[in-house]
Amino acid sequence: MHEQLSLGSPTRFLSVLDFDPLTLEACLDLAASLKAARAAGRRHVRPLEGRHVALLFEKPSLRTRSTFQIAVHELGGDVVEPPADVVLGGRESVADVARNLERWVYGAVIRTFAQARLEEFADAAPSLRVVNALTDEEHPCQALADCLTLIDTWGGLRGRTIAFVGDGNNVAASLAQAAAMLGATVRVASPVGFELPHPVRESVGAVARFGGGVVVTNDPIEGVFGADAVYTDVWASMGQESEADARRHAFAPFQVNARLMAHAAPEALFMHCLPAHRGDEVTDEVIDSPVSVVFDQAENRLHTQKALLAILAGE
Ligand code: CP
Ligand code: NVA
């Protein structure tokens, strides 16, 4: 259904970096064909027939949880959702949770805090398909949907510039890695002290193709100048709620409003992973404007995660 995967068959997606560029492209191609099949009501592959996938979420979720539930179901499988108080919460070790689940389920989709915790889980259960549904450091499933949204609109990312305005966070990191692999330049504009971490910048440099890459600035206007898309996210991520007031002051000049959008290319897209804090990082005027693709991004979570699960199942 898609081209030969150069990694053999990847069995985990803890990071965009777990996919090489060909695998990333194959996943996005498959997502586009699954999206078309779903719209036309056509049958498609059901690689999870007779298999269970555990959803382990230590943070709230609307989009990721719902779309994984639907994705597993549409691929023929069933989800199990252990209650929050037994997920990875200290009742037993992370490794023991993983070793138990490995005896019952085919895969695990995990939203947690430290990336290291996710890696500990995956290392303890090597036969499980493990997917990162967001950590403090990365949100690779979001990046898949973001890239499909841009491909749907532009045909491809090569030579494009995407401005990410705000916190150099998990969403920015995964977006920069994926978009640069596909040939885009991602400019991340953040207040001093909230820049994209150096190791992430280096990882982007290592995987960038076709002249793409990442550029970091502390000037929001320089960040969006002439950009083909402007992306933002909340100023305080899940787990950082106690910092929200202090951050609001630092991030105020980075609000994506009509004045800032005017510095981007004409017809530049507006993107947000959602949930949005309207009036903080983005104004209603921008998020509700015709250039906003935020609900296309949300829709594409479903199609890209179906493709991801199919690829991890060796389809
Ligand atoms: N964008 C995203 O991951 O949304 P949820 O937190 O609702 O899953
Ligand atoms: N950066 C945000 C993304 C939510 C989808 C967070 O981690 O809370």
Side-chain angles (χ1 to χ4, degrees), residues 194 242-251:
F194 298 97
S242 65
E243 299 171 30
D245 286 343
R247 281 174 173 254
R248 192 167 284 121
H249 179 70
F251 282 86

Side-chain angles (χ1 to χ4, degrees), residues 23-228:
T23 310
L24 176 62
E25 285 174 0
C27 183
L28 293 167
D29 284 351
L30 181 56
S33 74
L34 291 171
K35 180 174 181 174
R38 191 177 198 264
R42 280 198 309 274
R43 283 184 63 81
H44 56 65
V45 289
R46 289 170 65 85
L48 298 182
E49 200 86 60
R51 290 168 162 163
H52 286 83
V53 174
L55 305 186
L56 308 176
F57 280 57
E58 294 194 294
K59 295 176 179 176
S61 171
L62 170 65
R63 281 148 291 272
T64 310
R65 185 188 278 276
S66 306
T67 50
F68 268 111
Q69 287 170 328
I70 299 166
V72 170
H73 177 74
E74 292 191 3
L75 295 176
D78 287 302
V79 294
V80 286
E81 299 183 77
D85 58 352
V86 304
V87 167
L88 300 171
R91 187 163 174 260
E92 55 196 308
S93 75
V94 170
D96 281 354
V97 173
R99 291 187 198 113
N100 276 269
L101 285 166
E102 193 177 27
R103 299 298 179 106
W104 312 316
V105 304
Y106 180 72
V109 172
I110 301 176
R111 172 167 286 195
T112 187
F113 293 88
Q115 182 83 7
R117 200 166 163 77
L118 175 69
E119 285 164 6
E120 185 186 350
F121 180 99
D123 289 346
S127 70
L128 275 187
R129 274 40 180 183
V130 182
V131 172
N132 180 352
L134 180 147
T135 61
D136 292 344
E137 292 95 335
E138 300 189 39
H139 196 2
C141 292
Q142 181 68 48
L144 294 180
D146 298 340
C147 289
L148 181 62
T149 304
L150 294 175
I151 290 167
D152 281 349
T153 311
W154 295 336
L157 274 70
R158 243 184 248 197
R160 295 287 187 167
T161 299
I162 303 162
F164 186 98
V165 181
D167 192 14
N169 65 13
N170 45 9
V171 171
S174 294
L175 174 73
Q177 291 167 341
M181 258 195 219
L182 299 174
T185 296
V186 179
R187 276 194 224 136
V188 185
S190 313
V192 173
F194 298 97
E195 297 93 346
L196 194 70
H198 280 283
V200 175
R201 298 184 214 173
E202 282 152 27
S203 73
V204 175
V207 298
R209 296 186 303 159
F210 314 120
V214 66
V215 178
V216 167
T217 173
N218 298 121
D219 179 346
I221 294 177
E222 186 184 319
V224 304
F225 189 78
D228 300 299

